[in-house]
Amino acid sequence: MKTTTSKDGTVLAYDVHGSGPALVYVTGASCFRSFMPIVQDVKQFAREFTVYNYDRRGRGDSGNTLPWTVEREVEDIEAMIDAAGGKACLYGHSSGAVLALEAALRLGDKVQKVVLYDASYVHDETEKAEYEVLGQAVHKLLEEGKKAEAMRAFLKGIGMPKAFVFLLPLFPGWRTMKALAPTLAYDIALTRDVPPVERAAGVAVPTHVMVGQKSPAGLHDVAGQLAKAIPNARFTELAGQDHMVGAKVLLPRLVEFLKR
């Protein structure tokens, strides 16, 4: 484990794996750097890239300076890019894709290229209203100190299979997932609005927008909106993939886009 410090003094924990161009992995809700699905992703990505796999603030071994804002999370990405030598590509998944887009808008040429997979904005006003109800329920559980219940409610609310959510306590890392439940508030704040298409039109970084073929229809709509708004964005629907994209399937796409 290595550490670096963000602008507000928050200590960020990270690991470095592989060799090749620097790639900062920005994970989504309920994930942390030693969570087995993330470890498996990094193992694949490290075949072609130097992967910077970090705990977002409030997760794993990283600090959690309050109050939280999206600006602070972008500063965390900047700290990781600086740790990588001052320039890096970004791969963002789910709410991490929202952050990667914000970093592309705010960090100039420090971000060389960015890949957004299943960026998890709500896709229209109807979904926004439904998500607001879920967010209120999760916030209430968090205020009551019911971290496990909050995590389960969130995962069910975003469409995770009920059987998967029921079995989560048997998974390695469940204790850590429960501990980071308060960060769900951060991810909800990141994803509760429709895609910022007007702002996205200002992205000057080469961008590849991806969505899984089997991902929810709303995420397809979001991907289409972003691909249309971001100048010269590439768009790919990954055949056979859902929200939990397979790293072996994704890696050739990352190589082709980020290393060419």
Side-chain angles (χ1 to χ4, degrees), residues 35-208:
F35 189 38
M36 189 54 63
I38 302 302
V39 172
Q40 292 171 346
D41 287 351
V42 170
K43 182 178 180 180
Q44 290 297 320
F45 300 162
R47 296 174 182 270
E48 297 284 349
F49 300 94
T50 302
V51 184
Y52 289 77
N53 176 30
Y54 77 105
D55 282 326
R56 283 173 51 192
R57 60 176 54 210
R59 307 178 184 208
D61 296 306
S62 289
N64 192 29
T65 306
L66 299 176
W68 176 89
T69 65
V70 63
E71 289 80 10
R72 300 295 82 77
E73 287 234 41
V74 172
E75 289 171 0
D76 296 348
I77 294 174
E78 183 175 21
M80 294 310 308
I81 294 173
D82 289 343
K87 291 181 182 292
C89 297
L90 304 180
Y91 167 61
H93 174 261
S94 194
S95 64
V98 174
L99 280 174
L101 178 61
E102 289 295 327
L105 283 165
R106 299 166 189 251
L107 298 181
D109 62 4
K110 284 191 170 186
V111 178
Q112 294 173 303
K113 294 183 179 182
V114 61
V115 175
L116 312 175
Y117 187 89
D118 274 11
S120 297
Y121 299 97
V122 297
H123 75 106
D124 62 15
E125 292 301 322
T126 299
E127 187 182 16
K128 182 176 180 178
E130 294 170 349
Y131 196 54
E132 179 66 23
V133 173
L134 173 62
Q136 290 174 358
V138 171
H139 280 286
K140 185 175 186 296
L141 290 168
L142 291 174
E143 289 170 359
E144 295 171 352
K146 298 177 179 178
K147 294 180 179 180
E149 292 88 341
M151 182 63 72
R152 290 195 189 99
F154 177 79
L155 293 175
K156 288 180 183 177
I158 64 172
M160 286 289 185
K162 291 181 180 180
F164 170 80
V165 176
F166 177 77
L167 293 172
L168 268 178
L170 303 178
F171 288 18
W174 170 243
R175 182 176 297 180
T176 304
M177 286 184 73
K178 286 194 299 182
L180 59 78
T183 65
L184 293 173
Y186 308 165
D187 293 288
I188 290 169
L190 287 168
T191 57
R192 65 188 177 193
D193 289 318
V194 296
V197 292
E198 291 186 4
R199 293 180 60 237
V203 173
V205 176
T207 302
H208 195 160

Side-chain angles (χ1 to χ4, degrees), residues 20-40:
L23 177 65
V24 176
Y25 186 0
V26 190
T27 58
S30 78
C31 294
F32 52 99
R33 81 180 200 287
S34 57
F35 189 38
M36 189 54 63
I38 302 302
V39 172
Q40 292 171 346

